[in-house]
Amino acid sequence: MADQLGLLTTLWRARLIAPMRPDRYLRMGAAVRRAGITATIGFAAAAQRCPDRPGIIDECGTLTWKQLDERIDALGVALQELNPKTVAVMCRNHRGFVEALVAANRIGADVLLLNTSFAGPAMAEVIDREGADVVIYDQEFGGTVDRALQNAPDAVRILGWADDPDGTPTLDALIDAHLGQRPAPSSRKSDIILLTSGTTGTPKGAKRSAGSGGAGDLKAVLDRTPWRAEEPIVIAAPMFHAWGFSQLLFAGLLACTIVTRRKFDPEATLELIDRHRATGLAVVPVMFDRIMELPADVRKRYSGKTLRFATASGSRMRPDVVTSFMDEFGDVIYNNYNATEAGMIATATPADLRAAPDTAGRPADGTEIRILDGDHREVPAGEVGQIFVRSGTLFDGYTSGATKDFHDGFMASGDMGYLDEAGRLFVVGRDDEMIVSGGENVYPIEVEKVLADHPGVAEAVVLGVDDEQYGQRLAAYVVPATAGTATVTVDDLKQHVRDNLANYKVPRDITILPELPRGSTGKILRNELRGQG
């Protein structure tokens, strides 16, 4: 009873439960029954809750929730005629992505979300492994899709965004041909297949069904981050990635107007926030970096005063950027430690980040975190170990049939970290990133932080490279700060590390680069750095 009361209180505070005419609630219930209990059920409910309010705003203009729902139904009819088992989607952030995702989910087809940075061979392997028989993609990725489907000539191709239609069917044409129709109820259960964002090897597919997380996950998010129903959110994070995808689903569930654009632009993002009076912003951490790299006079053109939260996940955030962003736009950053396989694990509120700008936050409600050593024994506060997590949001397994390592019901996150005395989590790196140099264990993040503290450094990455004498040696890759470009030297940086850390933690090699290679979700592509310098 207490749990149910707590959930109702949370939903009321977020205005998901709000005073409405009884007939509107009845229509919402009917829409849910018709569309089925799916991961994207919020879109059907939003079309009944506030049909004439803006549902999505992109470069093509505005669609109301009712218009968006009707287009999704029409596309569902068109897809149902193709009877696909799995629909692969390779689109940037725009209405076509949302329509493809929700329509395929609504007719019971599995949905495979593809990274827009994929090369042909990796995409071919994933499509073959997951059995995709329909591929919806933006025209700019046509060359990649052609290479990926060389051995799948029967796969149906549909353009999600077409600048110059080449005869390939488009989403708009399929929707126009079936507008006003509804798909038949589906007897199949649709899984959303999210690809892990590892930077080595072919990403694994992690299945998420409608039941993953449930009310507990919803309450955990709404208790920690101040979402409010029917208020606009700018989603800049890629929607194909687990983080952007989760923010899209929450926006649909709360009938929050989705404001987005195909490619991230820092100034355009600030302009969208002000123009649409957005109260939420969803990004990956590097987007905060790019916003704060704008000239001060450009940033000052925008107030961001309507923002209640700016939420991020996907990679480590730079503590200096966290502090400077909040100094300028208010205490609105919420840092989330998520995993494709586990959903939300921890959230750092603005108060947490003011106290410790590099923290991943405290465990989400309903989530337990343990820090274990190599023998699966809990370690004391402040001591680094492997992060294990237990919650109701763990994934349904990889599509290959494999799963993660478990111990006593807790899943290995794949990261190393520690809890401080206040219960805040700090992530120090992947469990396969620890460097053993001359018998000494070094976690790259410790050296990276020291390098980043140098006034002439904007950001730094530290890797372990093979060494005949030491087994591994430390190699650092540094991007200079604009103000320090002319003065920072390799010798300066080595001395700076030596002044702050043990001698064995000083990188043997330091390479100064204009920028670090990143994937589309902002993660640094570490393997591309090896061999440079």
Side-chain angles (χ1 to χ4, degrees), residues 48-287:
Q48 301 301 321
R49 176 188 176 114
C50 45
D52 300 321
R53 290 183 63 86
I56 187 166
I57 301 171
D58 63 4
E59 285 129 310
C60 289
T62 300
L63 291 174
T64 66
W65 284 110
K66 180 181 179 182
Q67 290 170 328
L68 181 61
D69 189 61
E70 289 172 344
R71 288 173 60 88
I72 289 167
D73 270 344
L75 180 58
V77 174
L79 291 177
Q80 217 163 39
E81 292 175 353
L82 299 172
N83 193 32
K85 175 183 178 294
T86 301
V87 176
V89 181
M90 190 177 188
C91 296
R92 296 190 185 273
N93 288 10
H94 56 78
R95 65 184 61 187
F97 177 97
V98 177
E99 291 162 352
L101 164 69
V102 182
N105 193 225
R106 194 169 285 184
I107 67 167
D110 289 345
V111 187
L112 171 63
L113 301 183
L114 296 173
N115 191 318
T116 56
S117 296
F118 260 172
M123 182 178 171
E125 185 175 339
V126 169
I127 284 180
D128 180 65
R129 184 185 70 205
E130 307 298 345
D133 39 11
V134 171
V135 182
I136 300 174
Y137 61 98
D138 290 351
Q139 191 171 24
E140 66 183 285
F141 306 125
T144 301
V145 172
D146 288 343
R147 291 190 293 274
L149 296 183
Q150 285 178 349
N151 296 322
D154 295 331
V156 176
R157 306 177 189 213
I158 302 170
L159 293 179
W161 181 284
D163 294 309
D164 182 23
D166 55 7
T168 304
T170 66
L171 284 187
D172 283 339
L174 293 175
I175 289 169
D176 289 344
H178 296 86
L179 210 54
Q181 301 175 40
R182 288 180 175 176
S186 173
S187 59
R188 291 187 292 175
K189 178 178 74 71
S190 171
D191 284 326
I192 309 293
I193 303 168
L194 300 166
L195 297 178
T196 61
S197 57
T199 55
T200 60
T202 303
K204 298 184 288 293
K207 292 188 291 186
R208 285 276 174 184
S209 63
S212 296
D217 192 23
L218 175 63
K219 184 178 186 301
V221 172
L222 296 181
D223 279 346
R224 200 69 63 90
T225 308
W227 286 77
R228 296 292 182 269
E230 300 186 34
E231 293 184 351
I233 177 171
V234 174
I235 301 182
M239 293 176 184
F240 67 77
H241 184 254
W243 172 242
F245 171 76
S246 70
Q247 301 310 284
L248 175 67
L249 294 194
F250 274 110
L253 193 61
L254 274 74
C256 291
T257 300
I258 300 156
V259 182
T260 195
R261 68 193 313 272
R262 296 182 66 239
K263 296 181 180 180
F264 172 73
D265 178 274
E267 184 178 358
T269 299
L270 295 177
E271 193 275 333
L272 288 175
I273 291 168
D274 280 4
R275 175 160 36 117
H276 299 289
R277 302 187 59 78
T279 58
L281 170 66
V283 297
V284 292
V286 71
M287 293 175 178

Side-chain angles (χ1 to χ4, degrees), residues 424-440:
R424 292 185 293 252
L425 177 68
F426 294 78
V427 180
V428 302
R430 298 291 296 171
D431 56 12
D432 56 1
E433 284 178 1
M434 188 181 73
I435 300 165
V436 182
S437 182
E440 300 284 0

Side-chain angles (χ1 to χ4, degrees), residues 454-519:
H454 190 286
V457 173
E459 54 184 339
V461 170
V462 175
L463 306 175
V465 297
D466 292 338
D467 185 275
E468 289 186 6
Q469 182 179 0
Y470 294 98
Q472 286 184 302
R473 69 179 186 274
L474 273 64
Y477 302 86
V478 171
V479 176
T482 302
T485 302
T487 57
V488 67
T489 69
V490 169
D491 288 341
D492 289 340
L493 296 175
K494 287 185 177 182
Q495 188 59 49
H496 177 68
V497 177
R498 193 174 290 113
D499 290 343
N500 289 277
L501 295 174
N503 196 56
Y504 65 85
K505 296 181 180 180
V506 178
R508 295 270 300 281
D509 308 315
I510 296 180
T511 303
I512 297 176
L513 299 171
E515 63 180 6
L516 299 175
R518 296 181 184 272

